[in-house]
Amino acid sequence: MRRIERIFVSLNEVAVIGLLASMTLIVGANVALRYTTNHSLPWADEAARYLMIWMTFLGAGLALRMGGHVAITNLHDFISTRSQKLLRAAIVVTLLLFFGFMVYVGWQYMERARFQQTPALRLSFRYVYAAMPVGFSLLIVHLLLIAKPFIHAGLYKQADGATENAPGAANG
């Protein structure tokens, strides 16, 4: 199971890095063309924007798994260890419900936009909006993979498989 999880995380990381690299190359080429030939690629800004959208949604699960999202820990720090576990369990359940709802909403957006096309690339907006259900589905998988250590000890998994305490989490 751990090997499958490492492969999953690695593929997710490669996808985010690939999107960032593509975005960088497109924007860099456009800037170079603009200043050397006085012409720019008419589709570069649009492509970079959609790559950034996809990068954001695909990278959100990686940030979640490493504790990279904003956390307010005042209540968590104040309550007992048992109550902290219950609070973390409630947070996980709430996030799973929210992420599931957002997969549904994203799918609805994607279906509604299937006949619209982007101005420059002439792609169906379905492919742009697909980032939302795909990204939230990945968030669900990442959350399920880290839920047990997070609930029991407030630990986040790092990319190398190590764990680290959540901000404000007590040891144990």
Side-chain angles (χ1 to χ4, degrees):
M1 183 68 179
R2 289 180 192 221
R3 184 173 189 268
I4 293 170
E5 182 178 353
R6 278 195 307 271
I7 292 170
F8 169 72
V9 171
S10 295
L11 289 173
N12 197 171
E13 289 171 344
V14 166
V16 171
I17 291 167
L19 291 168
L20 179 61
S22 300
M23 191 173 70
T24 303
L25 288 172
I26 290 170
V27 172
N30 196 38
V31 169
L33 283 171
R34 188 179 306 136
Y35 286 106
T36 58
T37 66
N38 216 18
H39 296 287
S40 62
L41 302 169
W43 51 267
D45 293 339
E46 188 175 292
R49 182 179 319 119
Y50 299 146
L51 288 170
M52 184 179 290
I53 289 168
W54 270 92
M55 185 178 63
T56 300
F57 278 104
L58 295 185
L62 295 170
L64 175 77
R65 114 181 265 104
M66 296 178 195
H69 291 285
V70 174
I72 300 170
T73 62
N74 294 355
L75 174 63
H76 186 270
D77 295 344
F78 184 71
I79 59 180
S80 69
T81 303
R82 178 165 165 65
S83 297
Q84 287 178 356
K85 287 181 183 180
L86 292 172
L87 177 62
R88 288 191 298 263
I91 289 169
V92 167
V93 169
T94 302
L95 286 175
L96 284 172
L97 291 171
F98 175 71
F99 295 162
F101 175 72
M102 293 308 292
V103 168
Y104 172 77
V105 169
W107 191 269
Q108 296 298 315
Y109 270 98
M110 189 180 78
E111 288 300 311
R112 286 188 202 125
R114 70 178 176 248
F115 299 115
Q116 297 175 343
Q117 290 186 334
T118 62
L121 294 170
R122 307 305 296 162
L123 288 172
S124 170
F125 266 107
R126 169 185 250 175
Y127 301 117
V128 176
Y129 284 117
M132 193 171 169
V134 170
F136 277 104
S137 295
L138 289 175
L139 274 161
I140 289 170
V141 173
H142 281 291
L143 182 58
L144 290 173
L145 290 171
I146 67 163
K148 187 176 178 180
F150 175 71
I151 291 170
H152 289 292
L155 300 176
Y156 288 102
K157 288 192 176 184
Q158 300 301 302
D160 59 4
T163 55
E164 122 178 350
N165 276 341
N171 292 333

PDB file of all heavy atoms in Angstrom, residues 76 80-92 143-157 163-166 168-172:
ATOM      1  N   HIS A  76      -7.663  24.267  19.098  1.00  0.00           N
ATOM      2  CA  HIS A  76      -6.931  22.998  19.162  1.00  0.00           C
ATOM      3  C   HIS A  76      -5.894  23.024  20.278  1.00  0.00           C
ATOM      4  O   HIS A  76      -5.727  22.049  21.003  1.00  0.00           O
ATOM      5  CB  HIS A  76      -6.270  22.724  17.804  1.00  0.00           C
ATOM      6  CG  HIS A  76      -5.608  21.403  17.713  1.00  0.00           C
ATOM      7  ND1 HIS A  76      -4.286  21.199  18.060  1.00  0.00           N
ATOM      8  CD2 HIS A  76      -6.084  20.192  17.329  1.00  0.00           C
ATOM      9  CE1 HIS A  76      -3.985  19.937  17.883  1.00  0.00           C
ATOM     10  NE2 HIS A  76      -5.053  19.297  17.440  1.00  0.00           N
ATOM     11  N   SER A  80      -8.079  19.443  25.531  1.00  0.00           N
ATOM     12  CA  SER A  80      -7.314  18.257  25.949  1.00  0.00           C
ATOM     13  C   SER A  80      -6.933  17.403  24.731  1.00  0.00           C
ATOM     14  O   SER A  80      -7.477  17.564  23.639  1.00  0.00           O
ATOM     15  CB  SER A  80      -8.149  17.416  26.913  1.00  0.00           C
ATOM     16  OG  SER A  80      -9.238  16.825  26.227  1.00  0.00           O
ATOM     17  N   THR A  81      -6.021  16.460  24.954  1.00  0.00           N
ATOM     18  CA  THR A  81      -5.540  15.591  23.879  1.00  0.00           C
ATOM     19  C   THR A  81      -6.677  14.770  23.270  1.00  0.00           C
ATOM     20  O   THR A  81      -6.765  14.636  22.057  1.00  0.00           O
ATOM     21  CB  THR A  81      -4.435  14.650  24.405  1.00  0.00           C
ATOM     22  OG1 THR A  81      -3.397  15.447  24.964  1.00  0.00           O
ATOM     23  CG2 THR A  81      -3.870  13.794  23.297  1.00  0.00           C
ATOM     24  N   ARG A  82      -7.552  14.220  24.103  1.00  0.00           N
ATOM     25  CA  ARG A  82      -8.693  13.444  23.591  1.00  0.00           C
ATOM     26  C   ARG A  82      -9.613  14.333  22.765  1.00  0.00           C
ATOM     27  O   ARG A  82     -10.071  13.936  21.693  1.00  0.00           O
ATOM     28  CB  ARG A  82      -9.460  12.805  24.739  1.00  0.00           C
ATOM     29  CG  ARG A  82     -10.679  12.038  24.281  1.00  0.00           C
ATOM     30  CD  ARG A  82     -11.216  11.116  25.357  1.00  0.00           C
ATOM     31  NE  ARG A  82     -12.539  10.626  25.111  1.00  0.00           N
ATOM     32  CZ  ARG A  82     -12.906   9.826  24.122  1.00  0.00           C
ATOM     33  NH1 ARG A  82     -12.032   9.457  23.240  1.00  0.00           N
ATOM     34  NH2 ARG A  82     -14.156   9.403  24.001  1.00  0.00           N
ATOM     35  N   SER A  83      -9.874  15.514  23.234  1.00  0.00           N
ATOM     36  CA  SER A  83     -10.727  16.449  22.496  1.00  0.00           C
ATOM     37  C   SER A  83     -10.052  16.881  21.193  1.00  0.00           C
ATOM     38  O   SER A  83     -10.733  17.111  20.184  1.00  0.00           O
ATOM     39  CB  SER A  83     -11.041  17.676  23.351  1.00  0.00           C
ATOM     40  OG  SER A  83     -11.780  17.308  24.492  1.00  0.00           O
ATOM     41  N   GLN A  84      -8.734  16.982  21.210  1.00  0.00           N
ATOM     42  CA  GLN A  84      -8.017  17.318  19.975  1.00  0.00           C
ATOM     43  C   GLN A  84      -8.237  16.252  18.918  1.00  0.00           C
ATOM     44  O   GLN A  84      -8.456  16.566  17.745  1.00  0.00           O
ATOM     45  CB  GLN A  84      -6.518  17.469  20.257  1.00  0.00           C
ATOM     46  CG  GLN A  84      -6.142  18.717  20.996  1.00  0.00           C
ATOM     47  CD  GLN A  84      -4.650  18.792  21.303  1.00  0.00           C
ATOM     48  OE1 GLN A  84      -3.892  17.863  21.019  1.00  0.00           O
ATOM     49  NE2 GLN A  84      -4.230  19.900  21.886  1.00  0.00           N
ATOM     50  N   LYS A  85      -8.198  14.977  19.327  1.00  0.00           N
ATOM     51  CA  LYS A  85      -8.427  13.878  18.385  1.00  0.00           C
ATOM     52  C   LYS A  85      -9.844  13.958  17.816  1.00  0.00           C
ATOM     53  O   LYS A  85     -10.049  13.765  16.608  1.00  0.00           O
ATOM     54  CB  LYS A  85      -8.206  12.523  19.052  1.00  0.00           C
ATOM     55  CG  LYS A  85      -6.757  12.211  19.311  1.00  0.00           C
ATOM     56  CD  LYS A  85      -6.603  10.852  19.948  1.00  0.00           C
ATOM     57  CE  LYS A  85      -5.146  10.583  20.275  1.00  0.00           C
ATOM     58  NZ  LYS A  85      -4.944   9.267  20.891  1.00  0.00           N
ATOM     59  N   LEU A  86     -10.816  14.225  18.675  1.00  0.00           N
ATOM     60  CA  LEU A  86     -12.202  14.348  18.210  1.00  0.00           C
ATOM     61  C   LEU A  86     -12.349  15.535  17.253  1.00  0.00           C
ATOM     62  O   LEU A  86     -13.046  15.430  16.233  1.00  0.00           O
ATOM     63  CB  LEU A  86     -13.152  14.492  19.396  1.00  0.00           C
ATOM     64  CG  LEU A  86     -13.306  13.258  20.288  1.00  0.00           C
ATOM     65  CD1 LEU A  86     -14.127  13.592  21.522  1.00  0.00           C
ATOM     66  CD2 LEU A  86     -13.926  12.118  19.502  1.00  0.00           C
ATOM     67  N   LEU A  87     -11.689  16.634  17.576  1.00  0.00           N
ATOM     68  CA  LEU A  87     -11.742  17.808  16.702  1.00  0.00           C
ATOM     69  C   LEU A  87     -11.100  17.500  15.346  1.00  0.00           C
ATOM     70  O   LEU A  87     -11.655  17.836  14.291  1.00  0.00           O
ATOM     71  CB  LEU A  87     -11.036  18.999  17.361  1.00  0.00           C
ATOM     72  CG  LEU A  87     -10.957  20.283  16.533  1.00  0.00           C
ATOM     73  CD1 LEU A  87     -12.348  20.821  16.217  1.00  0.00           C
ATOM     74  CD2 LEU A  87     -10.132  21.339  17.266  1.00  0.00           C
ATOM     75  N   ARG A  88      -9.952  16.824  15.368  1.00  0.00           N
ATOM     76  CA  ARG A  88      -9.294  16.472  14.100  1.00  0.00           C
ATOM     77  C   ARG A  88     -10.148  15.503  13.285  1.00  0.00           C
ATOM     78  O   ARG A  88     -10.217  15.598  12.058  1.00  0.00           O
ATOM     79  CB  ARG A  88      -7.898  15.913  14.366  1.00  0.00           C
ATOM     80  CG  ARG A  88      -6.901  16.982  14.814  1.00  0.00           C
ATOM     81  CD  ARG A  88      -5.469  16.474  14.813  1.00  0.00           C
ATOM     82  NE  ARG A  88      -5.235  15.375  15.715  1.00  0.00           N
ATOM     83  CZ  ARG A  88      -4.740  15.477  16.949  1.00  0.00           C
ATOM     84  NH1 ARG A  88      -4.408  16.673  17.435  1.00  0.00           N
ATOM     85  NH2 ARG A  88      -4.545  14.404  17.688  1.00  0.00           N
ATOM     86  N   ALA A  89     -10.833  14.562  13.956  1.00  0.00           N
ATOM     87  CA  ALA A  89     -11.727  13.640  13.247  1.00  0.00           C
ATOM     88  C   ALA A  89     -12.884  14.410  12.614  1.00  0.00           C
ATOM     89  O   ALA A  89     -13.264  14.151  11.462  1.00  0.00           O
ATOM     90  CB  ALA A  89     -12.243  12.567  14.191  1.00  0.00           C
ATOM     91  N   ALA A  90     -13.429  15.369  13.346  1.00  0.00           N
ATOM     92  CA  ALA A  90     -14.520  16.189  12.806  1.00  0.00           C
ATOM     93  C   ALA A  90     -14.036  17.014  11.612  1.00  0.00           C
ATOM     94  O   ALA A  90     -14.770  17.182  10.625  1.00  0.00           O
ATOM     95  CB  ALA A  90     -15.078  17.103  13.894  1.00  0.00           C
ATOM     96  N   ILE A  91     -12.820  17.502  11.693  1.00  0.00           N
ATOM     97  CA  ILE A  91     -12.248  18.264  10.579  1.00  0.00           C
ATOM     98  C   ILE A  91     -12.116  17.378   9.339  1.00  0.00           C
ATOM     99  O   ILE A  91     -12.475  17.785   8.237  1.00  0.00           O
ATOM    100  CB  ILE A  91     -10.883  18.880  10.980  1.00  0.00           C
ATOM    101  CG1 ILE A  91     -11.097  20.014  11.976  1.00  0.00           C
ATOM    102  CG2 ILE A  91     -10.114  19.362   9.758  1.00  0.00           C
ATOM    103  CD1 ILE A  91      -9.826  20.520  12.637  1.00  0.00           C
ATOM    104  N   VAL A  92     -11.634  16.155   9.525  1.00  0.00           N
ATOM    105  CA  VAL A  92     -11.476  15.234   8.397  1.00  0.00           C
ATOM    106  C   VAL A  92     -12.829  14.919   7.767  1.00  0.00           C
ATOM    107  O   VAL A  92     -12.982  14.964   6.540  1.00  0.00           O
ATOM    108  CB  VAL A  92     -10.741  13.939   8.837  1.00  0.00           C
ATOM    109  CG1 VAL A  92     -10.841  12.855   7.773  1.00  0.00           C
ATOM    110  CG2 VAL A  92      -9.284  14.246   9.150  1.00  0.00           C
ATOM    111  N   LEU A 143      -6.418  13.157   1.453  1.00  0.00           N
ATOM    112  CA  LEU A 143      -6.934  13.247   2.818  1.00  0.00           C
ATOM    113  C   LEU A 143      -7.144  11.856   3.416  1.00  0.00           C
ATOM    114  O   LEU A 143      -6.797  11.618   4.579  1.00  0.00           O
ATOM    115  CB  LEU A 143      -8.240  14.045   2.853  1.00  0.00           C
ATOM    116  CG  LEU A 143      -8.872  14.260   4.229  1.00  0.00           C
ATOM    117  CD1 LEU A 143      -7.896  14.969   5.173  1.00  0.00           C
ATOM    118  CD2 LEU A 143     -10.163  15.039   4.104  1.00  0.00           C
ATOM    119  N   LEU A 144      -7.676  10.936   2.633  1.00  0.00           N
ATOM    120  CA  LEU A 144      -7.873   9.576   3.143  1.00  0.00           C
ATOM    121  C   LEU A 144      -6.538   8.905   3.470  1.00  0.00           C
ATOM    122  O   LEU A 144      -6.449   8.136   4.433  1.00  0.00           O
ATOM    123  CB  LEU A 144      -8.659   8.742   2.136  1.00  0.00           C
ATOM    124  CG  LEU A 144     -10.130   9.122   1.982  1.00  0.00           C
ATOM    125  CD1 LEU A 144     -10.766   8.344   0.838  1.00  0.00           C
ATOM    126  CD2 LEU A 144     -10.905   8.919   3.278  1.00  0.00           C
ATOM    127  N   LEU A 145      -5.511   9.212   2.696  1.00  0.00           N
ATOM    128  CA  LEU A 145      -4.202   8.613   2.939  1.00  0.00           C
ATOM    129  C   LEU A 145      -3.521   9.158   4.202  1.00  0.00           C
ATOM    130  O   LEU A 145      -2.725   8.455   4.824  1.00  0.00           O
ATOM    131  CB  LEU A 145      -3.294   8.809   1.724  1.00  0.00           C
ATOM    132  CG  LEU A 145      -3.671   7.990   0.492  1.00  0.00           C
ATOM    133  CD1 LEU A 145      -2.850   8.431  -0.716  1.00  0.00           C
ATOM    134  CD2 LEU A 145      -3.499   6.506   0.751  1.00  0.00           C
ATOM    135  N   ILE A 146      -3.822  10.390   4.574  1.00  0.00           N
ATOM    136  CA  ILE A 146      -3.181  10.963   5.767  1.00  0.00           C
ATOM    137  C   ILE A 146      -4.114  11.032   6.967  1.00  0.00           C
ATOM    138  O   ILE A 146      -3.694  11.442   8.045  1.00  0.00           O
ATOM    139  CB  ILE A 146      -2.616  12.377   5.494  1.00  0.00           C
ATOM    140  CG1 ILE A 146      -3.734  13.390   5.241  1.00  0.00           C
ATOM    141  CG2 ILE A 146      -1.601  12.351   4.378  1.00  0.00           C
ATOM    142  CD1 ILE A 146      -3.320  14.831   5.373  1.00  0.00           C
ATOM    143  N   ALA A 147      -5.371  10.637   6.820  1.00  0.00           N
ATOM    144  CA  ALA A 147      -6.373  10.831   7.869  1.00  0.00           C
ATOM    145  C   ALA A 147      -6.002  10.154   9.190  1.00  0.00           C
ATOM    146  O   ALA A 147      -6.080  10.776  10.250  1.00  0.00           O
ATOM    147  CB  ALA A 147      -7.741  10.352   7.394  1.00  0.00           C
ATOM    148  N   LYS A 148      -5.598   8.891   9.140  1.00  0.00           N
ATOM    149  CA  LYS A 148      -5.335   8.152  10.388  1.00  0.00           C
ATOM    150  C   LYS A 148      -4.216   8.789  11.220  1.00  0.00           C
ATOM    151  O   LYS A 148      -4.425   9.075  12.404  1.00  0.00           O
ATOM    152  CB  LYS A 148      -5.033   6.688  10.079  1.00  0.00           C
ATOM    153  CG  LYS A 148      -4.915   5.838  11.318  1.00  0.00           C
ATOM    154  CD  LYS A 148      -4.716   4.388  10.977  1.00  0.00           C
ATOM    155  CE  LYS A 148      -4.561   3.573  12.247  1.00  0.00           C
ATOM    156  NZ  LYS A 148      -4.355   2.150  11.947  1.00  0.00           N
ATOM    157  N   PRO A 149      -3.025   9.034  10.643  1.00  0.00           N
ATOM    158  CA  PRO A 149      -1.995   9.666  11.482  1.00  0.00           C
ATOM    159  C   PRO A 149      -2.360  11.089  11.898  1.00  0.00           C
ATOM    160  O   PRO A 149      -1.985  11.542  12.975  1.00  0.00           O
ATOM    161  CB  PRO A 149      -0.736   9.650  10.617  1.00  0.00           C
ATOM    162  CG  PRO A 149      -1.182   9.360   9.238  1.00  0.00           C
ATOM    163  CD  PRO A 149      -2.496   8.670   9.335  1.00  0.00           C
ATOM    164  N   PHE A 150      -3.129  11.772  11.071  1.00  0.00           N
ATOM    165  CA  PHE A 150      -3.539  13.136  11.427  1.00  0.00           C
ATOM    166  C   PHE A 150      -4.513  13.107  12.604  1.00  0.00           C
ATOM    167  O   PHE A 150      -4.359  13.863  13.562  1.00  0.00           O
ATOM    168  CB  PHE A 150      -4.169  13.849  10.229  1.00  0.00           C
ATOM    169  CG  PHE A 150      -4.719  15.203  10.576  1.00  0.00           C
ATOM    170  CD1 PHE A 150      -3.868  16.260  10.852  1.00  0.00           C
ATOM    171  CD2 PHE A 150      -6.080  15.414  10.652  1.00  0.00           C
ATOM    172  CE1 PHE A 150      -4.364  17.518  11.195  1.00  0.00           C
ATOM    173  CE2 PHE A 150      -6.589  16.656  10.991  1.00  0.00           C
ATOM    174  CZ  PHE A 150      -5.723  17.709  11.265  1.00  0.00           C
ATOM    175  N   ILE A 151      -5.495  12.235  12.548  1.00  0.00           N
ATOM    176  CA  ILE A 151      -6.487  12.175  13.635  1.00  0.00           C
ATOM    177  C   ILE A 151      -5.842  11.716  14.931  1.00  0.00           C
ATOM    178  O   ILE A 151      -6.048  12.316  15.987  1.00  0.00           O
ATOM    179  CB  ILE A 151      -7.657  11.245  13.252  1.00  0.00           C
ATOM    180  CG1 ILE A 151      -8.491  11.868  12.125  1.00  0.00           C
ATOM    181  CG2 ILE A 151      -8.538  10.948  14.467  1.00  0.00           C
ATOM    182  CD1 ILE A 151      -9.514  10.942  11.517  1.00  0.00           C
ATOM    183  N   HIS A 152      -5.022  10.670  14.881  1.00  0.00           N
ATOM    184  CA  HIS A 152      -4.461  10.103  16.113  1.00  0.00           C
ATOM    185  C   HIS A 152      -3.368  10.957  16.740  1.00  0.00           C
ATOM    186  O   HIS A 152      -3.284  11.049  17.952  1.00  0.00           O
ATOM    187  CB  HIS A 152      -3.938   8.690  15.858  1.00  0.00           C
ATOM    188  CG  HIS A 152      -5.039   7.710  15.641  1.00  0.00           C
ATOM    189  ND1 HIS A 152      -5.909   7.328  16.623  1.00  0.00           N
ATOM    190  CD2 HIS A 152      -5.429   7.042  14.521  1.00  0.00           C
ATOM    191  CE1 HIS A 152      -6.789   6.480  16.142  1.00  0.00           C
ATOM    192  NE2 HIS A 152      -6.526   6.280  14.865  1.00  0.00           N
ATOM    193  N   ALA A 153      -2.524  11.566  15.922  1.00  0.00           N
ATOM    194  CA  ALA A 153      -1.379  12.275  16.505  1.00  0.00           C
ATOM    195  C   ALA A 153      -1.177  13.675  15.927  1.00  0.00           C
ATOM    196  O   ALA A 153      -0.204  14.333  16.268  1.00  0.00           O
ATOM    197  CB  ALA A 153      -0.117  11.449  16.309  1.00  0.00           C
ATOM    198  N   GLY A 154      -2.042  14.116  15.047  1.00  0.00           N
ATOM    199  CA  GLY A 154      -1.862  15.438  14.444  1.00  0.00           C
ATOM    200  C   GLY A 154      -0.679  15.493  13.509  1.00  0.00           C
ATOM    201  O   GLY A 154      -0.020  16.511  13.380  1.00  0.00           O
ATOM    202  N   LEU A 155      -0.399  14.362  12.830  1.00  0.00           N
ATOM    203  CA  LEU A 155       0.771  14.285  11.954  1.00  0.00           C
ATOM    204  C   LEU A 155       0.392  14.466  10.496  1.00  0.00           C
ATOM    205  O   LEU A 155      -0.660  14.021  10.060  1.00  0.00           O
ATOM    206  CB  LEU A 155       1.470  12.928  12.114  1.00  0.00           C
ATOM    207  CG  LEU A 155       1.993  12.596  13.513  1.00  0.00           C
ATOM    208  CD1 LEU A 155       2.558  11.186  13.532  1.00  0.00           C
ATOM    209  CD2 LEU A 155       3.043  13.593  13.937  1.00  0.00           C
ATOM    210  N   TYR A 156       1.284  15.107   9.767  1.00  0.00           N
ATOM    211  CA  TYR A 156       1.168  15.228   8.324  1.00  0.00           C
ATOM    212  C   TYR A 156       2.259  14.386   7.705  1.00  0.00           C
ATOM    213  O   TYR A 156       3.348  14.274   8.234  1.00  0.00           O
ATOM    214  CB  TYR A 156       1.372  16.677   7.860  1.00  0.00           C
ATOM    215  CG  TYR A 156       0.233  17.586   8.212  1.00  0.00           C
ATOM    216  CD1 TYR A 156       0.314  18.463   9.278  1.00  0.00           C
ATOM    217  CD2 TYR A 156      -0.923  17.580   7.459  1.00  0.00           C
ATOM    218  CE1 TYR A 156      -0.725  19.308   9.592  1.00  0.00           C
ATOM    219  CE2 TYR A 156      -1.975  18.415   7.765  1.00  0.00           C
ATOM    220  CZ  TYR A 156      -1.876  19.280   8.828  1.00  0.00           C
ATOM    221  OH  TYR A 156      -2.909  20.107   9.126  1.00  0.00           O
ATOM    222  N   LYS A 157       1.989  13.823   6.529  1.00  0.00           N
ATOM    223  CA  LYS A 157       3.008  13.058   5.811  1.00  0.00           C
ATOM    224  C   LYS A 157       3.790  13.991   4.912  1.00  0.00           C
ATOM    225  O   LYS A 157       3.232  14.853   4.252  1.00  0.00           O
ATOM    226  CB  LYS A 157       2.371  11.955   4.977  1.00  0.00           C
ATOM    227  CG  LYS A 157       1.834  10.829   5.806  1.00  0.00           C
ATOM    228  CD  LYS A 157       1.498   9.654   4.945  1.00  0.00           C
ATOM    229  CE  LYS A 157       1.049   8.512   5.822  1.00  0.00           C
ATOM    230  NZ  LYS A 157       0.786   7.308   5.056  1.00  0.00           N
ATOM    231  N   THR A 163       6.937  11.872   8.790  1.00  0.00           N
ATOM    232  CA  THR A 163       5.781  12.596   9.320  1.00  0.00           C
ATOM    233  C   THR A 163       6.259  13.761  10.162  1.00  0.00           C
ATOM    234  O   THR A 163       7.374  13.763  10.682  1.00  0.00           O
ATOM    235  CB  THR A 163       4.885  11.678  10.190  1.00  0.00           C
ATOM    236  OG1 THR A 163       5.687  11.090  11.212  1.00  0.00           O
ATOM    237  CG2 THR A 163       4.240  10.597   9.354  1.00  0.00           C
ATOM    238  N   GLU A 164       5.401  14.738  10.284  1.00  0.00           N
ATOM    239  CA  GLU A 164       5.738  15.899  11.109  1.00  0.00           C
ATOM    240  C   GLU A 164       4.485  16.363  11.811  1.00  0.00           C
ATOM    241  O   GLU A 164       3.372  16.204  11.302  1.00  0.00           O
ATOM    242  CB  GLU A 164       6.371  16.969  10.214  1.00  0.00           C
ATOM    243  CG  GLU A 164       5.724  18.277  10.174  1.00  0.00           C
ATOM    244  CD  GLU A 164       6.442  19.288   9.292  1.00  0.00           C
ATOM    245  OE1 GLU A 164       7.558  19.055   8.834  1.00  0.00           O
ATOM    246  OE2 GLU A 164       5.839  20.320   9.078  1.00  0.00           O
ATOM    247  N   ASN A 165       4.646  16.924  12.996  1.00  0.00           N
ATOM    248  CA  ASN A 165       3.502  17.411  13.765  1.00  0.00           C
ATOM    249  C   ASN A 165       2.811  18.556  13.054  1.00  0.00           C
ATOM    250  O   ASN A 165       3.444  19.409  12.450  1.00  0.00           O
ATOM    251  CB  ASN A 165       3.952  17.900  15.149  1.00  0.00           C
ATOM    252  CG  ASN A 165       4.072  16.776  16.150  1.00  0.00           C
ATOM    253  OD1 ASN A 165       3.501  15.707  15.953  1.00  0.00           O
ATOM    254  ND2 ASN A 165       4.808  17.016  17.200  1.00  0.00           N
ATOM    255  N   ALA A 166       1.506  18.552  13.180  1.00  0.00           N
ATOM    256  CA  ALA A 166       0.730  19.686  12.676  1.00  0.00           C
ATOM    257  C   ALA A 166       1.009  20.870  13.582  1.00  0.00           C
ATOM    258  O   ALA A 166       1.354  20.708  14.754  1.00  0.00           O
ATOM    259  CB  ALA A 166      -0.756  19.337  12.701  1.00  0.00           C
ATOM    260  N   GLY A 168       0.625  23.288  16.309  1.00  0.00           N
ATOM    261  CA  GLY A 168      -0.186  23.284  17.519  1.00  0.00           C
ATOM    262  C   GLY A 168      -0.547  21.896  18.023  1.00  0.00           C
ATOM    263  O   GLY A 168      -1.198  21.771  19.033  1.00  0.00           O
ATOM    264  N   ALA A 169      -0.148  20.835  17.329  1.00  0.00           N
ATOM    265  CA  ALA A 169      -0.497  19.478  17.758  1.00  0.00           C
ATOM    266  C   ALA A 169       0.431  19.016  18.864  1.00  0.00           C
ATOM    267  O   ALA A 169       1.625  19.246  18.818  1.00  0.00           O
ATOM    268  CB  ALA A 169      -0.437  18.509  16.579  1.00  0.00           C
ATOM    269  N   ALA A 170      -0.141  18.344  19.828  1.00  0.00           N
ATOM    270  CA  ALA A 170       0.648  17.792  20.922  1.00  0.00           C
ATOM    271  C   ALA A 170       1.262  16.469  20.459  1.00  0.00           C
ATOM    272  O   ALA A 170       0.711  15.784  19.614  1.00  0.00           O
ATOM    273  CB  ALA A 170      -0.238  17.569  22.142  1.00  0.00           C
ATOM    274  N   ASN A 171       2.383  16.126  21.005  1.00  0.00           N
ATOM    275  CA  ASN A 171       3.003  14.831  20.688  1.00  0.00           C
ATOM    276  C   ASN A 171       2.190  13.721  21.330  1.00  0.00           C
ATOM    277  O   ASN A 171       1.899  13.753  22.496  1.00  0.00           O
ATOM    278  CB  ASN A 171       4.451  14.781  21.175  1.00  0.00           C
ATOM    279  CG  ASN A 171       5.344  15.714  20.395  1.00  0.00           C
ATOM    280  OD1 ASN A 171       5.076  16.019  19.241  1.00  0.00           O
ATOM    281  ND2 ASN A 171       6.409  16.173  21.028  1.00  0.00           N
ATOM    282  N   GLY A 172       1.878  12.685  20.530  1.00  0.00           N
ATOM    283  CA  GLY A 172       1.176  11.527  21.082  1.00  0.00           C
ATOM    284  C   GLY A 172      -0.226  11.642  20.872  1.00  0.00           C
ATOM    285  O   GLY A 172      -1.215  11.392  20.872  1.00  0.00           O
TER     286      GLY A 172
END
